[in-house]
Amino acid sequence: MLSNKKLIEMIQSMTGYGKADAHFGGKKIHVEIKSLNSKSLDLNARIAPLYREREIEIRKMITPIVERGKVDFSIWTEKETAAETAPINAEAVKSYMAQLRCISEEVGLPFNDSQAWQLLVRLPDTTAVQASEELTDEEWAVVSSAIKEALQHLVDFRKQEGEALYRKFEEKINNISQLMKEIEPFEKARVQKIRERLEARLEELRGVDYDKNRLEQELIYYIEKLDISEEKQRLTNHLHYFCETMDRGHAGQGKKLGFIAQEMGREINTTGSKSNQAEMQNIVVMMKDELEQIKEQVLNVM
């Protein structure tokens, strides 16, 4: 049913993972993005405080690439050097210490260096205030590049998963096509069986006269009602259309493949309702099983 042509820009899975790391100003920047299947885009972004001012830009970078899926995006940093501590404000400490000594003498209480230090560390302005970190254009360029790299890894992962899905669909479509052919011998044989069964019943009605031409007309009408030629033709068309849609590589393939799978199910169900032989019904059950596996996996297609 399907050709063995090279898989280029065919289906993509919604399941994917991408990660990238970057370095800037003594810190390591981590970017991670994960996606699972979803009917639409559900983007959850966890962004380090320094980069939150760029959240709108970050979302604009992610949205056109991932298109659909439940997406978790994270960006965080860690220091690559020893943690910096706030410098002590020496002038403030000296002033506090002198005041404590003076007050101790005035009220006649003994001065204890250990207790004084415990009090000093709790007093305001004993450490110098560090300037708040600002996001520079240079750092944003590094971060932006890391995000793009993580997204590319996500796309590569999705393509690999898409190839696996393609092969799975290829197998299932071919199985349905083969099972449909296996119905044909039973379909032809049942016409003769129906005729023989009706004639046998009429033979049992001894002495009853009947119009053989009318019997032939009724028999033709009955057989036409059980005919599955149209169902087989429509199912064949749906199988081909499913394959063509997989090969086109456009956005929204998953939804379209899902619609086609539904139409395939209708034809298989109608075939089953018209199958009045156990062998045919068994084959229809196997076709349904193959189709259900397709429907489950179609949910993962972009």
Side-chain angles (χ1 to χ4, degrees), residues 176 287-298:
I176 292 173
M287 292 170 72
K288 288 182 177 181
D289 180 55
E290 297 292 338
L291 181 61
E292 281 304 309
Q293 294 181 57
I294 289 176
K295 287 181 177 180
E296 288 176 6
Q297 295 303 321
V298 159

Side-chain angles (χ1 to χ4, degrees), residues 134 166 258:
E134 292 184 358
Y166 186 97

